[in-house]
Amino acid sequence: MLGKTAGGLYWMFRYLERGENTARLVDAGLHIALTHAQSEDDQWDSLLETTEARRQFEASGRIADRQNVLEFLLSDRSNPSSVLSCFHAARTNARLVRTAITREVWESVNETWLTLNEALSRPIIVSELPDLLALIRRQNSLVRGALHGTMLRNDTYDFCRLGSAVERADNTSRILDVKYYVLLPTAIPVGSPFDNVQWESVLRSVSGQRAYRWLHGTDVSASGIADFLIFDTRMPRSLMFSLRETTDLLASLETAYAMTVESHAMAKRQMDVLDGQSVKQVIETGLHEFLQSFRQDNASRAVQIEQDFRF
Amino acid sequence: MSPYDLAAANTNHVPDWVGDGKEFPCKIAPNRRPTLQRGSQTVTIKDMSESAIHFDEMLDHEDGRRSPYQRYGAWFDEQPLNHLAKKSADAEVFFRRTGITFNVYGQQQAEERLIPFDIVPRIISAHEWSLLTNGIEQRVRAINAFLEDIYHRREILKAGRVPKQLIADNEAWLPQMVGVKPPGGVYTHIVGIDLVRTGENEFFVLEDNARTPSGVSYMLENRETMLHMFPELFSRNRVRKVSNYPSLLRRSLQACIPKRCDEKPVVAVLTPGIHNSAYFEHSFLAEQMGVELVEGHDLRVTDGRIAMRTTQGYRHIDVLYRRIDDEYLDPLTFNPDSVLGVPGIMDVYRSEGITIANAPGTGIADDKAIYSYMPDIVEFYTGEKALLKNVETWRCSEAESLSYVMEHLDELVVKEVHGSGGYGMLVGPAASKKEIEAFRAKLKAKPSNYIAQPTLALSTVPILTEKGLAPRHVDLRPFVLVSPNGIDITPGGLTRVALQEGSLVVNSSQGGGTKDTWVLRE
């Protein structure tokens, strides 16, 4: 496979994942804003924080109110991380790699772009937002389904999933990072209503409320959530799950290509470090520092992947 | 009432769009009827003002439909118009979802546009097709012989059948190709011959496309769309299939192996990239052939061969179907600013390390200045009279022709010698006085840059409109594959249709549409 093609597949799925995660974040933010009016402004502000888009948003001179933030995150063409921009970039990458994907995968991406481009070209209306966000998730599921159902299980498939896994690890760590202060035991008295709202928003951002309750019942605690999103390998959006998936995919590519790559070694080292830690240690030594260093490792591994496979 | 309404056709022998005030814009006044002055072959252009009837491929003069359209017509009569209108809308959705789009230059808004597709097929009988294929095959053979000759022995120049100066001064002629023998002896692996029709057995070659003709993906996708929407039509009509074009293309490319290739030849398609107007076609062909789609920056020269950067290092390529122009192929040999090509590929080519399809320098054969010599060229190399006619052509580089053209600008089509895509041309009969005068100045400034042709009474084929069928002018581009094993012409081609009433410009970049083209079995 051409290095450029591998890169196109990988980035196509990174952008799809990013677009979907932004939609999830907005969904969680909206939920809180609608149910807890007093914390609304904080909520929009923290969304900008999570997506690391605050500086760019502020440069545009807009006020961080509901409408502006929603438009910035969902439909602003000048924001390269908006949902619309992400799906445009995913579709551009899909065009680039059309020879490598099945007709069904191509058509699902193309149709997703056409559908979302139309939906996001209209003004954002809050009452229609739940439907819009559901549409974004559903369209992405369509692509995932086409990928799963029609692609050969070879290097092509591995690069697609690698893109998703790398992006997801990054996104989940960002979601956790923005709320890390509420997960610190001393910040706010545990069990206060505000606390619960924030926890709920973290879980909702990763579509993990129900999964968490299945595993832990109603015993919601700060360290429980951190443990769930960092270490629980049953949770498909946890850091550990994404890292393990990345490691497995790189191992599979090594086998297919009969060569060893540095990015795999890096991923294994990171796994070992994570394996040796507990959530208690992480919180004691500093959740924020932990997440920051995780994200840095993830980013340098991503650079290594591009070099290893000559994107 | 539509002229295709059988009842109407039976009572009026002349279709009712004639003489209803919508005069055909390309009428030639009787007293200025063009006379033939050029070329070895005489072509009589029908004086259109006498009857103002264009040959319609569906209707005959007498009592109904021409035979290739009879079965289709019977089916059509059973279809409610609103059902067909819905199908037409479905087709657009189908094209959009599949991403069969076309980038239009000079229009920032419409970065990706659909070429309008008309759901009424253009139908060609087996007999008509055999006439065409004999002529096309002869012409394509001659083109390859001509190229081989002018880059080697130059017999045709010595014989004085084509002026030496015409070659020497031509930008499409590449001195770098002199003495180079392309692998398999093939210059034009892929050719698209543009044809127009003016009567029952009157076909003219409008242009030979010997560089990198495009449009074949539309031939294939148009058929795919028709099969998807009207499967029943294909059980009623015996339509020859076009779908094996990609595998024939691959086979034909693999038949031209460069000397340095010692294993199974690896084929790739070279595209200028995702922003090129024909990118869809490039990726479509690569996908259909099951080969890599590469850009210049994926390639480099290693061990005297061309190699592509893969996830596992560099891998050799043996045959490159390039969809970039000669000029951009190699910055070391041609345009030094090109980033689309591969530095050094011409050296590899000359040392037989790669096959480039089509070979560099084939543009000299489809140049509009050469076009008028095609009848001589065909005769020179095949020893036969050309089976397909040329359109009469005035070369504005010649003083006598230029003065004729200057006097008759309002009735001629004037084209740039090196232009393409319908840009920079004047359609005299449809142009305003102001446009004609502006063009006259351009022509005067650089006469050798132009040729002129009479406006032909192009045939019409019906399209579906809101009110039913309506006639529109068409052309036809069949696709020809040349390999050392022979010439293969796919039974079908790209029919382009000028969707605007009376218009003669079929280019997709200027509002033209396409149709599925059927060639019927005997």
Side-chain angles (χ1 to χ4, degrees), chain A residues 233-253:
Chain A
T233 51
R234 295 166 296 184
M235 168 59 186
R237 293 179 178 274
S238 75
L239 301 188
M240 196 61 178
F241 184 95
S242 302
L243 187 53
R244 181 184 279 183
E245 175 134 308
T246 304
T247 313
D248 289 349
L249 289 165
L250 289 169
S252 150
L253 285 166

Side-chain angles (χ1 to χ4, degrees), chain B residues 15 33 92 158 176 184 229 277 328 333 371 386 429 506:
Chain B
R33 182 171 173 168
E92 194 178 318
K158 289 175 197 156
Q176 295 87 348
M229 292 197 308
S277 64
Y328 301 103
T333 306
Y371 168 84
V506 296

Side-chain angles (χ1 to χ4, degrees), chain B residues 87-102:
Chain B
K87 285 287 188 183
S88 200
D90 289 350
E92 194 178 318
V93 173
F94 185 80
F95 274 81
R96 234 187 239 288
R97 198 175 50 217
T98 317
I100 309 173
T101 53
F102 192 87

Side-chain angles (χ1 to χ4, degrees), chain B residues 109-180:
Chain B
Q109 280 300 310
E111 197 202 8
E112 280 177 35
R113 260 182 20 190
L114 282 185
I115 296 187
F117 172 69
D118 177 67
I119 63 169
V120 181
R122 196 252 190 103
I123 310 176
I124 297 170
S125 72
H127 170 69
E128 290 163 344
W129 184 247
S130 76
L131 282 180
L132 287 181
T133 49
N134 290 340
I136 293 170
E137 194 170 329
Q138 180 197 46
R139 203 162 167 113
V140 169
R141 261 182 222 294
I143 286 172
N144 273 281
F146 172 68
L147 287 164
E148 146 82 28
D149 185 29
I150 60 159
Y151 285 119
H152 293 88
R153 298 162 60 95
R154 302 160 66 93
E155 303 278 6
I156 198 165
L157 306 184
K158 289 175 197 156
R161 300 289 289 271
V162 170
K164 282 197 174 86
Q165 216 46 41
L166 197 61
I167 304 293
D169 291 349
N170 202 309
E171 284 172 21
W173 188 74
L174 299 183
Q176 295 87 348
M177 284 298 291
V178 171
V180 177

Side-chain angles (χ1 to χ4, degrees), chain B residues 39-242:
Chain B
S40 58
Q41 197 166 7
T42 319
V43 175
T44 314
I45 308 298
K46 248 193 192 165
D47 187 337
M48 286 176 280
S49 66
E50 282 164 7
S51 59
I53 293 177
H54 305 278
F55 178 74
D56 190 88
E57 299 189 14
M58 189 179 202
L59 297 183
D60 64 20
H61 295 296
E62 305 293 318
D63 46 9
R65 295 179 178 118
R66 290 179 62 253
S67 67
Y69 283 86
Q70 271 167 9
R71 281 169 188 233
Y72 177 79
W75 172 88
F76 185 87
D77 292 342
E78 296 163 10
Q79 312 300 315
L81 199 54
N82 58 2
H83 170 69
L84 291 173
K86 190 188 163 292
K87 285 287 188 183
S88 200
D90 289 350
E92 194 178 318
V93 173
F94 185 80
F95 274 81
R96 234 187 239 288
R97 198 175 50 217
T98 317
I100 309 173
T101 53
F102 192 87
N103 298 358
V104 179
Y105 293 118
Q107 292 192 352
Q108 278 191 330
Q109 280 300 310
E111 197 202 8
E112 280 177 35
R113 260 182 20 190
L114 282 185
I115 296 187
F117 172 69
D118 177 67
I119 63 169
V120 181
R122 196 252 190 103
I123 310 176
I124 297 170
S125 72
H127 170 69
E128 290 163 344
W129 184 247
S130 76
L131 282 180
L132 287 181
T133 49
N134 290 340
I136 293 170
E137 194 170 329
Q138 180 197 46
R139 203 162 167 113
V140 169
R141 261 182 222 294
I143 286 172
N144 273 281
F146 172 68
L147 287 164
E148 146 82 28
D149 185 29
I150 60 159
Y151 285 119
H152 293 88
R153 298 162 60 95
R154 302 160 66 93
E155 303 278 6
I156 198 165
L157 306 184
K158 289 175 197 156
R161 300 289 289 271
V162 170
K164 282 197 174 86
Q165 216 46 41
L166 197 61
I167 304 293
D169 291 349
N170 202 309
E171 284 172 21
W173 188 74
L174 299 183
Q176 295 87 348
M177 284 298 291
V178 171
V180 177
K181 199 168 162 41
V186 177
Y187 279 87
T188 62
H189 307 76
I190 300 108
V191 189
I193 303 277
D194 285 353
L195 299 163
V196 292
R197 184 173 199 180
T198 59
E200 188 63 53
N201 285 318
E202 303 280 309
F203 291 92
F204 292 85
V205 175
L206 210 54
E207 243 172 60
D208 303 284
N209 295 286
R211 302 171 206 214
T212 50
S214 62
V216 76
S217 57
Y218 291 88
M219 170 182 87
L220 297 165
E221 286 290 354
N222 287 354
R223 177 63 54 82
E224 219 24 61
T225 307
M226 289 294 279
L227 281 163
H228 180 78
M229 292 197 308
F230 305 111
E232 74 276 16
L233 268 178
F234 292 87
S235 51
R236 284 200 192 194
N237 290 273
R238 291 156 53 80
V239 183
R240 293 182 63 186
K241 70 172 185 182
V242 293

Side-chain angles (χ1 to χ4, degrees), chain A residues 121-182:
Chain A
S121 293
R122 293 192 291 264
I124 307 276
I125 298 165
V126 171
S127 61
E128 293 172 2
L129 205 49
D131 284 346
L132 179 65
L133 297 170
L135 177 72
I136 296 168
R137 285 198 304 268
R138 203 163 53 234
Q139 286 298 137
N140 219 15
S141 299
L142 199 68
V143 181
R144 245 193 318 266
L147 178 83
H148 185 79
T150 64
M151 293 281 289
L152 272 180
R153 296 306 194 261
N154 59 7
D155 49 349
T156 313
Y157 186 72
D158 289 346
F159 282 114
C160 295
R161 286 178 56 211
L162 195 56
S164 304
V166 170
E167 184 67 26
R168 193 176 288 179
D170 177 272
N171 294 176
T172 301
S173 80
R174 281 176 201 282
I175 291 167
L176 270 171
D177 205 7
V178 166
K179 302 288 180 190
Y180 80 95
Y181 61 90
V182 286

Side-chain angles (χ1 to χ4, degrees), chain B residues 250-493:
Chain B
R250 182 171 177 165
R251 207 178 303 159
S252 149
L253 290 169
Q254 281 180 329
C256 294
I257 311 170
K259 208 182 244 169
R260 296 237 189 134
C261 168
D262 41 19
E263 60 258 51
K264 195 165 171 258
V266 176
V267 178
V269 177
L270 175 63
T271 173
I274 195 165
H275 299 296
N276 184 265
S277 64
Y279 178 78
F280 162 71
E281 175 155 306
H282 307 159
S283 67
F284 175 86
L285 287 174
E287 183 214 332
Q288 294 281 309
M289 287 196 284
V291 304
E292 291 291 359
L293 178 66
V294 298
E295 291 173 45
H297 62 83
D298 296 315
L299 304 179
R300 73 173 185 200
V301 178
T302 54
D303 315 326
R305 291 169 72 179
I306 298 297
M308 56 184 166
R309 192 179 74 253
T310 76
T311 48
Q312 303 170 74
Y314 279 85
R315 292 286 147 93
H316 286 138
I317 292 175
D318 303 297
V319 182
L320 195 59
Y321 175 23
R322 49 82 178 231
R323 295 293 297 257
I324 68 175
D325 294 341
D326 287 352
E327 192 192 345
Y328 301 103
L329 206 48
D330 184 348
L332 300 183
T333 306
F334 307 114
N335 184 347
D337 299 328
S338 170
V339 290
L340 302 177
V342 191
I345 191 173
M346 280 304 287
D347 290 333
V348 175
Y349 184 65
R350 280 190 290 254
S351 65
E352 298 186 55
I354 183 102
T355 300
I356 300 177
N358 288 350
T362 53
I364 188 68
D366 70 12
D367 189 80
K368 289 194 182 71
I370 295 289
Y371 168 84
S372 58
Y373 293 94
M374 275 310 289
D376 302 85
I377 290 172
V378 170
E379 202 179 328
F380 188 78
Y381 296 107
T382 64
E384 304 158 2
K385 286 273 180 207
L387 297 170
L388 286 173
K389 295 170 201 165
N390 249 34
V391 180
E392 180 185 9
T393 303
W394 289 273
R395 304 171 192 128
C396 301
S397 54
E398 295 166 10
E400 197 189 321
S401 296
L402 179 64
S403 69
Y404 177 86
V405 172
M406 285 291 199
E407 279 167 38
H408 299 90
L409 274 181
D410 57 340
E411 62 195 46
L412 297 172
V413 176
V414 191
K415 298 174 178 173
E416 275 185 34
V417 173
H418 308 294
S420 69
Y423 291 103
M425 73 187 250
L426 175 83
V427 181
S432 69
K433 274 218 165 68
K434 213 173 142 196
E435 285 166 337
I436 287 179
E437 288 319 305
F439 206 90
R440 190 188 301 281
K442 280 186 0 189
L443 185 55
K444 210 169 172 177
K446 204 179 173 194
S448 64
N449 205 27
Y450 297 93
I451 54 152
Q453 293 171 337
T455 45
L456 295 184
L458 300 194
S459 63
T460 53
V461 170
I463 65 164
L464 186 73
T465 69
E466 280 173 17
K467 290 174 186 156
L469 295 181
R472 293 292 186 273
H473 296 291
V474 292
D475 77 351
L476 175 65
R477 176 179 291 181
F479 294 94
V480 189
L481 295 173
V482 185
S483 85
N485 309 323
I487 291 175
D488 190 272
I489 305 169
T490 302

